[in-house]
Amino acid sequence: MPEEIVQPSRVRELFRNKKDSDKVVSLFITAGYPELDATVDLILGFEKNGAEMIELGIPFSDPLADGPTVQYASNIAIENGITLEKIFHMIREIRKKSQIPLVLMGYINPILRYGVEKFCRDAAGAGADGLIIPDLPPEESALITDSVHKNHLDMVYLVAPNTTDERMQQIDQLSSGFVYCVSVTGVTGARSGDEIEASVNRFIHRVHKNITRNPKMIGFGIRSFEDAQKISEYTDGFIVGSALIGTIRKSYPEENWQDSVFDFVRSLSSGPSN
Amino acid sequence: MTMNYTLPDEKGYFGKFGGKFVPEILIPALEELENAYREITRDPGFEEEYRKLLEEYVGRPTKLTFANRLTEHFGRARIYLKREDLCHTGAHKINNATGQLLLAKKMGKSRIIAETGAGQHGVATATACAKFGFECVIYMGEEDIRRQKLNVDRMRLLGAEVRPVSSGSRTLKDATNEAIRDWVTNVEDTFYIIGSVVGPHPYPMITRNFQRVIGDETRSQLMKVEGKLPDYLVACIGGGSNAIGLFYPFIHDEEVTLIGIEAAGEGVETEKHAATITKGTRGVLHGSMSYLLHTEEGQIQLPHSVSAGLDYPGVGPEHAHLHDIKRVEYYAVTDSDAMRSVKLLSETEGIIPAIETAHAVAYLETLMPRTEEDEVVVLNCSGRGDKDMKTISEWF
């Protein structure tokens, strides 16, 4: 029998307790990048510096929804010898010190290879709260739905600017925790702030209208506090990934490289001047 | 037993294989593609335009050549070659590239992208784009650019932009990743012409249906000269488009033995091979569930084959299914056996095959001794070897 997780979802709690005007700051980091030993401390540091939720990336050799930055980080992590076992261990270490909502984000193949049921059980057992699988659209969700429910994980699906209204509503029904709103068509990290602003407004309004059951988090291409302010008006928060990894890439392995990374994280929740 | 084979099903599955494992952004694009494809299959005008293009431009029907000296060499069943090497641009790839391009035109897309390994699909796509005046971007791994330089030059001359891909193994797998990323980014105006029976549904079905002309022609041509169906069909398999094109029209004819030949590289007992069905396990790559070469952790392994067109860690989902239901037999042939067969076919038949094709030829060494003199073997001569001359001369 799989161990029952009695705790309510940390993700759902986070959104339930926040004020409408507050924007949840969520960070994506690739597990095992830039070093295997760095991940736990980075995540604890992110939390101290204003992050309220973590998407922990499971590295994959062929991340076809990701741009060059996340590809690079994934390759380094794989070279560093990352495994799912090690990722679960990292989560257990984080849980000794923190209750920050943590969602695993990874492609379906490593999960299939590990075994879907075993993966969900071990992820939940380690203290992960949910899953985002960018190459598992609702059409293929039957593969994982039972295991997700059995282990009380949140399952986050994505909507994109070309997702129809009707489909957005279906995805809202299928999702739990939150819905991940991909702000532009493209891979992660691909677009500049201006481009986002120009294309995103109509999408945000459709999201606002059609996704009513779940909180909405917006991501893909957000690089700064200003970017986030511009596009998160009708959402519950925003996700920063490539820009964070880009900041790590710039400073690592200088001495105290984490400091400039944490500075960047702080600037995301309060603006650079604070 | 009579088979009733109507796959893929509504969800795009061939048994346990296939599906649509893609980012949300591509779902509307795949639906649009599937709807457009269903529409053109009901449109006699489209069929006529495609047939005319195949006849006047591609050069179909391609010949079925009796390989008399190769037959003598083995002294058993009569061997025929289905001459896809005689297609315009030198391989079967153009059957599919022209079909998908016509589909793109019907859908009102203005920009074409494609991935290529050996460069044959890239050249075929660039050719069709030139013929119809489309913008064309071809993604190709740096390693493949090095070993298939002639095809790179051809694509550029045809007006295509060849974008080198430097990620991963810098081969077909990585070129495919990059093409998908481009598609995700430019999904509104771009049509992705996938070169094989891989990728998310409906691509494996569409590519198969554009390639089945190989098998349809073979059937009627062989009926004329032999008055019977073949006993064996042999074809090489990377993603598997030339093989499925030959096999598919015979799938219900259970007396016809279907044989697919993968690349064993330096040997299936080594790490350096591309024998996906022989050695792989179930997994998801490039949008579909199939057999895969991957590690215990589910990371895709770098395949190896001397032949760029077979150097791929996945295989079309329909082949995975045909393997599981035991309708097709799959074997693997090493680099060195394939290279010896380049020579064999050149010297016995005056046909220099692509190294991909030579893998199928090499399997005749195993197959022919078990055949009878009154039997017939048809081998899909999927491409010509001009593009491989550098590799071939360095080898011998």
Side-chain angles (χ1 to χ4, degrees):
Chain A
M1 277 291 286
E3 201 179 319
E4 290 283 319
I5 312 297
V6 287
Q7 198 167 10
S9 156
R10 295 180 189 88
V11 175
R12 275 170 274 150
E13 285 298 300
L14 170 70
F15 288 106
R16 192 173 301 137
N17 295 332
K18 88 171 189 53
K19 278 186 288 184
D20 274 358
S21 58
D22 288 351
K23 301 300 169 195
V24 167
V25 181
S26 184
L27 299 183
F28 171 90
I29 178 78
T30 304
Y33 173 79
E35 297 172 9
L36 288 181
D37 289 343
T39 304
V40 172
D41 290 340
L42 274 177
I43 289 173
L44 295 173
F46 292 162
E47 184 180 26
K48 281 199 186 75
N49 288 283
E52 293 156 283
M53 183 162 67
I54 299 295
E55 270 115 60
L56 184 58
I58 301 167
F60 181 47
S61 54
D62 295 76
L64 50 76
D66 285 299
T69 307
V70 177
Q71 286 176 49
Y72 169 82
S74 301
N75 287 338
I76 298 283
I78 292 168
E79 280 169 27
N80 288 344
I82 194 72
T83 63
L84 281 170
E85 293 288 356
K86 286 176 186 168
I87 292 173
F88 296 142
H89 180 72
M90 289 170 183
I91 299 172
R92 284 193 295 271
E93 291 299 306
I94 291 163
R95 282 287 171 253
K96 286 178 185 170
K97 294 178 179 164
S98 164
Q99 293 302 313
I100 190 166
L102 188 150
V103 177
L104 280 166
M105 183 163 184
Y107 292 83
I108 188 66
N109 195 57
I111 297 172
L112 276 178
R113 186 81 205 221
Y114 190 85
V116 168
E117 173 58 28
K118 183 166 180 277
F119 173 84
C120 291
R121 192 174 63 225
D122 291 356
D129 300 299
L131 304 178
I132 306 172
I133 308 175
D135 59 347
L136 193 79
E139 280 76 359
E140 305 294 347
S141 61
L143 202 64
I144 202 164
T145 302
D146 285 352
S147 303
V148 163
H149 287 162
K150 201 154 91 185
N151 291 287
H152 304 280
L153 289 162
D154 285 322
M155 187 70 202
V156 175
Y157 288 93
L158 297 89
V159 295
N162 59 351
T163 308
T164 61
D165 287 3
E166 192 190 359
R167 192 171 163 89
M168 279 187 185
Q169 290 160 20
Q170 288 163 357
I171 287 171
D172 191 24
Q173 287 301 316
L174 199 62
S175 299
S176 67
F178 62 93
V179 171
Y180 192 137
C181 308
V182 176
S183 59
V184 288
T185 58
V187 292
T188 53
R191 305 294 177 91
S192 70
D194 285 349
E195 224 173 318
I196 287 179
E197 198 190 351
S199 69
V200 86
N201 274 344
R202 224 159 45 102
F203 171 58
I204 296 292
H205 279 96
R206 289 206 302 118
V207 162
H208 184 63
K209 190 179 74 188
N210 292 300
I211 295 171
T212 51
R213 226 181 116 250
N214 284 287
K216 302 165 279 286
M217 293 290 285
I218 190 155
F220 276 48
I222 299 172
R223 295 173 181 282
S224 65
F225 177 73
E226 289 77 13
D227 282 354
Q229 292 298 105
K230 277 177 203 160
I231 72 165
S232 59
E233 192 186 342
Y234 289 107
T235 66
D236 298 279
F238 58 92
I239 300 159
V240 177
S242 297
L244 174 65
I245 288 168
T247 306
I248 297 174
R249 196 174 171 179
K250 253 183 260 161
S251 52
Y252 178 83
E254 285 165 21
E255 209 182 330
N256 302 323
W257 60 272
Q258 292 96 333
D259 292 348
S260 48
V261 175
F262 295 148
D263 285 347
F264 173 73
V265 172
R266 245 188 339 270
S267 76
L268 288 173
S269 46
S270 51
S273 53
N274 282 0
Chain B
M1 181 183 108
T2 44
M3 286 181 81
N4 183 19
Y5 189 93
T6 55
L7 299 175
D9 66 18
E10 269 175 23
K11 292 187 73 190
Y13 273 82
F14 303 89
K16 294 183 295 186
F17 303 98
K20 288 182 189 180
F21 294 86
V22 294
E24 181 62 29
I25 294 170
L26 293 183
I27 292 287
L30 292 172
E31 277 170 7
E32 184 192 358
L33 175 63
E34 191 171 354
N35 291 337
Y37 180 72
R38 300 272 176 215
E39 220 167 274
I40 57 121
T41 54
R42 288 190 297 263
D43 173 7
F46 183 92
E47 178 67 12
E48 197 180 318
E49 193 180 359
Y50 178 52
R51 289 287 150 192
K52 199 169 164 219
L53 195 62
L54 288 183
E55 193 186 313
E56 294 180 0
Y57 189 65
V58 173
R60 304 207 71 93
T62 59
K63 302 296 178 192
L64 186 70
T65 303
F66 176 55
N68 60 311
R69 293 196 65 225
L70 193 64
T71 299
E72 272 168 37
H73 174 85
F74 290 109
R76 294 289 176 115
R78 289 187 298 286
I79 303 168
Y80 288 83
L81 303 172
K82 179 57 176 165
R83 301 293 305 282
E84 293 302 297
D85 59 314
L86 295 179
C87 286
H88 179 42
T89 70
H92 71 290
K93 293 290 185 187
I94 194 146
N95 303 329
N96 173 53
T98 49
Q100 287 198 34
L101 192 95
L102 284 182
L103 186 51
K105 197 176 119 206
K106 278 269 185 281
M107 291 169 71
K109 303 287 178 182
S110 60
R111 177 174 178 269
I112 300 293
I113 58 169
E115 84 297 335
T116 197
Q120 288 305 118
H121 175 57
V123 168
T125 303
T127 298
C129 285
K131 176 75 178 158
F132 285 89
F134 276 67
E135 181 190 346
C136 179
V137 174
I138 305 291
Y139 289 91
M140 188 170 188
E142 283 179 348
E143 168 64 15
D144 290 338
I145 287 180
R146 188 190 62 76
R147 54 182 167 175
Q148 307 282 195
K149 179 146 190 327
L150 175 68
N151 274 346
V152 175
D153 294 342
R154 290 167 79 194
M155 286 184 270
R156 289 187 170 141
L157 187 61
L158 290 159
E161 179 193 344
V162 180
R163 289 196 188 159
V165 175
S166 59
S167 57
S169 56
R170 305 187 316 261
T171 61
L172 180 55
K173 156 182 97 75
D174 312 284
T176 307
N177 289 338
E178 247 2 88
I180 294 174
R181 290 183 186 118
D182 181 315
W183 196 28
V184 166
T185 307
N186 303 296
V187 65
E188 293 300 324
D189 68 343
T190 296
F191 189 102
Y192 177 20
I193 299 189
I194 293 187
S196 192
V197 284
V198 300
H201 178 68
Y203 276 110
M205 172 184 77
I206 291 177
T207 305
R208 175 195 72 194
N209 292 352
F210 282 134
Q211 290 293 1
R212 68 167 292 165
V213 64
I214 302 171
D216 286 333
E217 286 176 8
T218 298
R219 195 182 185 97
S220 61
Q221 288 167 326
L222 197 69
M223 255 328 157
K224 248 179 226 156
V225 291
E226 289 281 345
K228 64 173 217 159
L229 292 179
D231 297 285
Y232 299 91
L233 297 177
V234 187
C236 66
I237 296 194
S241 70
N242 91 77
I244 210 82
L246 178 66
F247 297 165
Y248 183 61
F250 294 92
I251 225 130
H252 291 104
D253 303 303
E254 293 190 65
E255 65 274 30
V256 182
T257 302
L258 309 176
I259 301 171
I261 303 302
E262 303 189 292
E266 294 180 9
V268 291
E269 70 289 351
T270 72
E271 296 277 286
K272 302 188 83 178
H273 63 79
T276 312
I277 293 180
T278 309
K279 297 287 283 188
T281 57
R282 218 156 81 97
V284 171
L285 177 67
H286 296 148
S288 60
M289 177 91 72
S290 186
Y291 283 108
L292 269 190
L293 299 175
H294 51 170
T295 67
E296 288 293 312
E297 282 289 316
Q299 309 294 353
I300 309 304
Q301 278 171 327
L302 301 188
H304 167 84
S305 170
V306 66
S307 145
L310 305 184
D311 201 352
Y312 183 67
V315 66
E318 188 161 18
H319 284 295
H321 176 66
L322 291 170
H323 172 262
D324 271 22
I325 64 168
K326 298 187 164 61
R327 178 63 190 96
V328 180
E329 300 172 21
Y330 295 88
Y331 305 100
V333 156
T334 61
D335 286 350
S336 55
D337 286 349
M339 295 305 284
R340 257 208 320 276
S341 297
V342 169
K343 221 169 175 168
L344 175 69
L345 196 68
S346 301
E347 290 174 358
T348 56
E349 293 297 329
I351 294 168
I352 301 171
I355 301 173
E356 289 80 8
T357 307
H359 282 72
V361 179
Y363 186 71
L364 295 178
E365 303 278 352
T366 308
L367 173 67
M368 296 314 293
R370 80 184 214 215
T371 65
E372 306 291 337
E373 280 179 33
D374 60 354
E375 290 184 318
V376 169
V377 174
V378 177
L379 185 140
N380 198 2
C381 192
S382 55
R384 69 180 188 223
D386 307 43
K387 69 183 175 66
D388 295 317
M389 284 315 298
K390 185 161 169 283
T391 310
I392 294 168
S393 34
E394 279 168 10
W395 187 277
F396 292 107

